[in-house]
Amino acid sequence: MSTILQTTDSENQVYALEITCPLGLENVLEKELHSEGLTNTRFGEGQVKLTTDLEGMYKACLWSRVATRVMLPIANFKIDSADDLYDAVKAIPWSDHMSATNTIAIDCHGTNHHIRNTQFGAVRAKDAIADYFVALSGERPSVEKNQPDVRIALRIKREVVTVSIDLSGESMHRRGYRQQGSMAPLKENLAAGLLLRAGWGKDCGLTQLIDPMCGSGTFLVEAAMMSLDIAPGLGRHYWGFKGWKQHDHRMWQQLMDFAKNRKRNAEELGLRFQGTDRDQRAIAASRESIKRAGMVGIIDVSMTPFQEHEFDINQEKPGLVICNPPYGERIGDEMALIALYRQLGEWVVSNVRGWQFMMLTSNDHLARQIPVRPEKSTRVINGGIECRAYIFPLLQGSIKEDVVAQSVMTPGAQMFANRLQKNAKKMKKWVEKNKIQCYRVYDADMPEYAVAIDVYNDWAHVQEYQAPKSVDPEKAKQRLFEVMSAIPAALNISESQVVLKQRQRQSGKEQYEKLDQSKHEMIVEEYGCDFIVNLKDYLDTGLFLDHRPVRKLIQDKADSKRFLNLFCYTATASVHAGQGGARSSLSVDMSNTYTEWARRNIELNEFSELYHQVERADCIEWLKQSRDTFDLIFMDPPTFSNSKKMADVLDIQRDHGELVRLAMARLEQEGELIFSNNYRRFVLDADLEEEFEVKNITRETLDPDFDRNGKIHQCYIIKHKSVA
């Protein structure tokens, strides 16, 4: 049986609305509605139900900062089949709400045994509405997915279906000041709800707000709009109720005019809104948001680490610090962020005692780095991640004074930072001269700090070498923390852009397995070649930095050559060969992951797959079966591999003689084989030097960032002996 929930019989229509909001902020939304005189409410999970008239409905749309959507349920019914859904939707008096000339869109949420996917549910409802109007007037409404005149929502829960008019038309977090596709995941209505939860608002008594990691400036803009009494709906041009038959344009316009006149003067209120972020893109996004929101001169943002910025703070007046710091996606990320959270806690305690501090994070362990006892926390969902918003009162009794006394930058961390800065300064001219974007800045220079640190543009990739069993695990952990806390300041890199991995001997398929699923890819350039690198998902990044000079050598030698790349990994050497004018290239590797990556690198550099091919195969078996010949071959096999994809176990010291001979059989008489491996105790088979012309070029293939480590790889040029 269908229940029609809204009718138009009464002149003074009362509407029973469902106003949705972010989970955890239901009571904040209810309090906000009450402040606008909308008091006939009750709240449930993720929504507040409001009974009001047309003016109240408009006020909820115009003034709610926390709401996600304003829904008007118009029918409720049970179904036992898809035909029941069609019949019940067709029975709704649609002419009360729209005309056949209106455009519509239908959103379906939920499924059951009869409606097994949302698209099917939406199509059945659309057909029912179309047939309703065809029977009434012979016309049918057309579908418009983006901004329809009337947006209709179906909510299916078990056997019960609720049909609603979406009066907001689209999510109300879209205020109009932030560009679509902005980098910040924090939605405007979630930011506003957290600000209200933290005690910010119009006439709240707080006149200073600081966001030390402001991102695209959402907290700052939302706080300023609250204080200046700017309706969040003023900047929106599209509303779902504008095509609704019961819309009163005159009443809406009057409420809009009244809202415009409510705006207050920032100077008279003595307000201060300040934000910092060390990321250039974040500051650019925040400045654009500030400009579009009309807050230039009211909100100040600076591209500075908060630890170094001189904020304009009036110690006589209380304020609020609020921020959404990075959470860390992997275990290694957490280690990188511990220092950041400790520094944040130390900063608020040292600079804004007596204020309120709210922080949003998904990581409870990181939250505990703040040396203040939280007053309360609120569970919310941010970008699909379950988080908590912690409120820390910066007052005597809540501050853990003994923890504050401990310095974040220990003497060990300071010593490590000094070494890192010294290395970076030493390499600066070489890096700038050669336009090198990716390089090693530290490689266990001090034995007690056994890590390798590589710079990839504005990211740091840290590999921790496995500590010997004789090293105390707690001591090793402390030293790693000192490393991670020193990197951001020493290299001027954001804490959230430091990636940590533990490096140890890999065997078989382990060397190809994923560490993560973040798909963290970026494009870097090297001598005119572009490469896709991934800093998080695999043990290696897709680019062996120590082979940079080898790749340049291949580029210089490749002109008009047929190039073979064995154990090709991601085919970076093949890209260099193509850039150097190679006639063709063939890249061979047994890994599905790396051959696909290789194809993408070749495609990225716009080389034809007709002449630059990638083949997945066991290189040893391929060499045994192939009869093709090449002018230039590069072979960089792993030290050891027992992959199931290989016919035999590969041990480079034992097997390199056979490998080299097989490769030389595929090399033209005047050609060259560049043979490399990274086995530190490698000794070349003396018989090879008897059979071929062999030149050790290891020293020439070490750039300044690897010249301290002469055994990072061994490299040889091997040629056929001249025929007399």
Side-chain angles (χ1 to χ4, degrees):
M1 180 178 176
S2 177
T3 302
I4 305 302
L5 302 176
Q6 309 287 344
T7 65
T8 56
D9 295 340
S10 172
E11 194 172 305
N12 299 313
Q13 176 70 41
V14 174
Y15 300 96
L17 306 175
E18 291 181 355
I19 305 178
T20 62
C21 68
L23 283 169
L25 297 178
E26 296 88 352
N27 58 343
V28 178
L29 172 59
E30 184 176 53
K31 187 176 179 181
E32 177 189 53
L33 293 171
H34 288 183
S35 70
E36 291 297 327
L38 307 174
T39 57
N40 193 356
T41 59
R42 58 188 178 92
F43 66 83
E45 187 178 22
Q47 67 171 244
V48 173
K49 295 188 177 184
L50 169 67
T51 303
T52 186
D53 58 10
L54 190 62
E55 182 178 345
M57 185 204 79
Y58 288 146
K59 282 184 177 180
C61 290
L62 183 58
W63 284 101
S64 179
R65 304 178 191 278
V66 186
T68 303
R69 292 181 185 270
V70 176
M71 310 294 288
L72 176 66
I74 58 173
N76 183 278
F77 46 83
K78 287 186 176 182
I79 61 170
D80 291 320
S81 67
D83 288 340
D84 284 352
L85 174 66
Y86 171 89
D87 293 339
V89 171
K90 188 179 178 184
I92 296 171
W94 289 104
S95 55
D96 288 351
H97 303 284
M98 56 179 285
S99 302
T101 55
N102 286 136
T103 57
I104 61 170
I106 300 176
D107 301 317
C108 182
H109 306 278
T111 58
N112 60 22
H113 294 301
H114 315 296
I115 310 299
R116 293 186 176 273
N117 67 74
T118 55
Q119 184 177 2
F120 175 67
V123 169
R124 289 298 282 160
K126 183 264 294 180
D127 291 343
I129 296 169
D131 291 347
Y132 168 91
F133 280 105
V134 167
L136 193 69
S137 63
E139 296 182 276
R140 66 173 62 217
S142 56
V143 173
E144 169 57 55
K145 292 184 178 180
N146 293 324
Q147 292 189 351
D149 297 328
V150 178
R151 185 175 290 277
I152 299 154
L154 265 68
R155 185 176 74 245
I156 302 172
K157 190 172 183 181
R158 298 187 185 90
E159 309 306 315
V160 178
V161 178
T162 302
V163 181
S164 303
I165 304 291
D166 184 349
L167 298 170
S168 43
E170 62 182 8
S171 177
M172 288 167 60
H173 80 270
R174 297 192 175 99
R175 318 283 204 225
Y177 65 78
R178 198 166 79 186
Q179 288 182 307
Q180 294 292 331
S182 173
M183 60 178 290
L186 187 66
K187 290 184 177 179
E188 293 88 323
N189 62 328
L190 176 56
L194 294 177
L195 282 160
L196 290 166
R197 177 62 60 101
W200 191 268
K202 183 181 69 171
D203 300 325
C204 65
L206 303 175
T207 58
Q208 302 177 84
L209 184 131
I210 292 174
D211 184 346
M213 286 173 271
C214 66
S216 63
T218 309
F219 276 133
L220 294 165
V221 174
E222 289 297 317
M225 289 177 66
M226 287 181 193
S227 296
L228 301 181
D229 207 16
I230 298 173
L234 274 178
R236 287 167 55 96
H237 301 293
Y238 170 68
W239 290 96
F241 56 71
K242 287 194 172 180
W244 180 48
K245 249 190 179 180
Q246 298 173 43
H247 171 51
D248 186 331
H249 176 74
R250 183 176 178 183
M251 181 187 291
W252 171 248
Q253 198 57 54
Q254 287 174 341
L255 290 170
M256 287 279 285
D257 292 342
F258 178 71
K260 291 173 184 176
N261 293 328
R262 270 175 62 167
K263 182 178 177 180
R264 305 197 297 180
N265 186 287
E267 283 188 25
E268 293 176 2
L269 297 170
L271 301 170
R272 295 181 185 179
F273 302 93
Q274 301 172 77
T276 58
D277 203 292
R278 70 190 309 160
D279 188 283
Q280 184 177 9
R281 293 166 300 174
I283 290 299
S286 65
R287 285 178 175 154
E288 181 63 25
S289 293
I290 290 165
K291 180 181 176 182
R292 290 163 65 97
M295 299 293 179
V296 175
I298 297 172
I299 301 172
D300 295 317
V301 292
S302 174
M303 195 182 76
T304 319
F306 69 87
Q307 304 94 321
E308 302 172 12
H309 188 69
E310 293 186 11
F311 289 93
D312 181 13
I313 298 171
N314 184 343
Q315 299 289 356
E316 303 299 318
K317 294 183 178 181
L320 172 67
V321 175
I322 188 168
C323 65
N324 176 31
Y327 310 151
E329 300 168 7
R330 301 167 59 249
I331 294 172
D333 296 335
E334 181 179 304
M335 177 65 79
L337 294 172
I338 285 175
L340 174 66
Y341 278 69
R342 288 188 182 178
Q343 290 167 357
L344 176 61
E346 186 181 62
W347 183 88
V348 293
V349 167
S350 300
N351 291 275
V352 289
R353 287 199 181 214
W355 285 33
Q356 189 96 307
F357 172 42
M358 174 179 269
M359 181 182 71
L360 180 66
T361 183
S362 67
N363 193 314
D364 179 62
H365 180 63
L366 291 175
R368 288 200 296 269
Q369 305 307 314
I370 305 299
V372 184
R373 295 176 184 85
E375 181 181 75
K376 55 186 174 182
S377 66
T378 302
R379 174 183 167 271
V380 296
I381 306 296
N382 178 27
I385 301 172
E386 184 172 324
C387 302
R388 284 199 171 272
Y390 294 88
I391 294 178
F392 301 94
L394 303 176
L395 302 170
Q396 197 74 24
S398 295
I399 297 171
K400 303 173 185 177
E401 301 291 354
D402 56 330
V403 178
V404 174
Q406 300 174 13
S407 172
V408 173
M409 188 73 84
T410 65
Q414 189 61 61
M415 178 178 67
F416 186 81
N418 292 341
R419 172 58 69 95
L420 213 49
Q421 287 177 323
K422 181 181 177 181
N423 287 3
K425 185 177 180 181
K426 181 181 176 182
M427 284 188 233
K428 186 177 180 183
K429 286 186 178 178
W430 168 72
V431 166
E432 291 178 348
K433 179 182 177 181
N434 292 278
K435 298 180 180 178
I436 291 172
Q437 297 179 350
C438 312
Y439 58 94
R440 180 153 295 182
V441 73
Y442 177 90
D443 195 354
D445 301 16
M446 298 182 286
E448 62 270 35
Y449 294 101
V451 298
I453 302 174
D454 298 322
V455 172
Y456 287 78
N457 286 328
D458 52 356
W459 286 76
H461 183 257
V462 184
Q463 301 169 84
E464 181 194 18
Y465 294 118
Q466 190 172 28
K469 292 182 179 179
S470 59
V471 175
D472 178 14
E474 286 303 314
K475 188 66 175 176
K477 186 176 180 181
Q478 174 60 28
R479 285 172 176 165
L480 182 59
F481 169 69
E482 290 174 342
V483 166
M484 303 305 284
S485 63
I487 289 172
L491 299 180
N492 193 28
I493 287 174
S494 170
E495 291 84 356
S496 62
Q497 294 178 199
V498 180
V499 180
L500 172 66
K501 294 174 187 166
Q502 186 179 57
R503 194 161 190 93
Q504 50 188 301
R505 181 185 172 104
Q506 300 290 309
S507 63
K509 66 180 182 180
E510 289 177 0
Q511 59 192 313
Y512 303 109
E513 284 183 346
K514 280 198 170 188
L515 300 179
D516 202 0
Q517 299 287 337
S518 62
K519 296 183 180 178
H520 183 272
E521 294 185 345
M522 56 193 292
I523 295 174
V524 296
E525 183 182 352
E526 179 183 274
Y527 296 121
C529 303
D530 291 329
F531 300 124
I532 300 164
V533 296
N534 186 320
L535 301 190
K536 293 187 178 183
D537 291 352
Y538 302 90
L539 184 64
D540 292 308
T541 66
L543 183 66
F544 293 136
L545 301 187
D546 61 302
H547 276 157
R548 186 189 311 109
V550 181
R551 289 189 290 271
K552 183 65 167 64
L553 179 66
I554 290 169
Q555 184 171 329
D556 293 341
K557 288 177 173 290
D559 189 27
S560 302
K561 303 284 178 65
R562 292 165 296 171
F563 176 65
L564 173 63
N565 187 357
L566 296 167
F567 306 95
C568 74
Y569 188 41
T570 60
T572 53
S574 303
V575 172
H576 274 277
Q579 188 69 20
R583 187 194 321 172
S584 65
S585 71
L586 176 62
S587 304
V588 184
D589 199 287
M590 67 178 176
S591 164
N592 283 319
T593 298
Y594 292 142
T595 50
E596 179 58 30
W597 199 331
R599 290 186 182 95
R600 293 173 64 208
N601 271 334
I602 289 169
E603 182 183 354
L604 176 66
N605 289 271
E606 299 181 351
F607 296 131
S608 169
E609 62 180 16
L610 183 65
Y611 300 106
H612 298 274
Q613 299 178 351
V614 178
E615 183 172 339
R616 188 180 74 80
D618 176 340
C619 288
I620 297 174
E621 292 301 310
W622 185 90
L623 283 169
K624 289 178 179 178
Q625 297 173 18
S626 175
R627 294 295 176 264
D628 295 333
T629 57
F630 300 85
D631 307 301
L632 181 64
I633 300 175
F634 176 54
M635 182 167 63
D636 180 36
T639 298
F640 179 84
S641 180
N642 63 351
S643 171
K644 292 179 181 178
K645 295 177 182 177
M646 292 186 66
D648 298 298
V649 172
L650 171 67
D651 182 318
I652 193 60
Q653 182 60 65
R654 183 193 67 197
D655 301 329
H656 75 274
E658 179 190 8
L659 261 177
V660 168
R661 291 181 181 95
L662 286 169
M664 294 301 289
R666 308 272 57 82
L667 186 69
E668 290 285 354
Q669 182 62 35
E670 301 300 319
E672 293 179 305
L673 165 66
I674 300 175
F675 168 57
S676 176
N677 72 82
N678 65 350
Y679 181 43
R680 290 174 181 266
R681 295 193 297 274
F682 180 78
V683 178
L684 187 73
D685 184 346
D687 290 344
L688 291 175
E689 297 186 84
E690 293 294 324
E691 296 176 44
F692 307 106
E693 290 183 15
V694 179
K695 180 182 179 182
N696 189 328
I697 61 168
T698 301
R699 290 307 309 172
E700 297 100 291
T701 60
L702 295 175
D703 266 347
D705 52 339
F706 286 95
D707 62 3
R708 287 186 68 257
N709 187 354
K711 294 185 178 181
I712 190 71
H713 65 241
Q714 305 287 320
C715 196
Y716 306 84
I717 291 182
I718 303 176
K719 301 180 182 180
H720 293 292
K721 286 192 172 182
S722 300
V723 178

